[in-house]
Amino acid sequence: MCSVASGDMDVPSAGCLAIDKGEVLLVRITAGTYGPPGGSVDSDESGQCAAERETWEETGLKVNAGDLAAEFDNGFRLYWCGVVSGREIKISRPIEIRHADWYAPETFKYLKWRYANQAEIIQTLMSERQE
């Protein structure tokens, strides 16, 4: 399933920053907070492969992970991901993921984010990517 033959190894956790039509893919976990899809990296996979797998597991969307978008203090790596299966979301882990959807940056202020400053970081990354 992974489109990355080799990639960042020894990554603790990874996720996708998938943008389509000016909106970013976000999931709401059971704690009620929002963030990009992602999770733990298995011992035999790269960060990019984990980002692709976690996005598929959490949203039902197939993506291709590309370049590193950001690395956070806790080691989480966020990769730019292109969606290859369309925008229709299918949540297969309703115990872990309560909701997933596409969000425009102007809606970020209304969301409860998983980490402080996450909205600003994602908005900045989106702006830089468009330039």
Side-chain angles (χ1 to χ4, degrees), residues 66-109:
D67 295 334
L68 182 67
E71 183 171 0
F72 298 89
D73 292 342
N74 63 0
F76 180 79
R77 291 189 184 174
L78 189 60
Y79 295 93
W80 291 108
C81 293
V83 179
V84 295
S85 64
R87 291 173 55 102
E88 186 176 337
I89 295 166
K90 275 189 186 173
I91 296 175
S92 60
R93 294 178 154 184
I95 293 174
E96 177 186 357
I97 303 300
R98 301 306 254 175
H99 181 76
D101 209 343
W102 296 93
Y103 292 88
E106 54 268 14
T107 65
F108 289 2
K109 62 185 169 195

Side-chain angles (χ1 to χ4, degrees), residues 1 9 15 20 34 42 44 56 71 83 91 96 98 101 109 120 122:
M1 181 173 150
M9 302 304 283
D20 186 58
Y34 287 81
D42 292 339
D44 62 342
W56 181 79
E71 183 171 0
V83 179
I91 296 175
E96 177 186 357
R98 301 306 254 175
D101 209 343
K109 62 185 169 195
E120 293 85 6
I122 290 174

Side-chain angles (χ1 to χ4, degrees), residues 5 9-10 41-47 49-50 53:
M9 302 304 283
D10 298 320
V41 177
D42 292 339
S43 61
D44 62 342
E45 71 182 344
S46 67
C49 288
R53 176 183 50 77

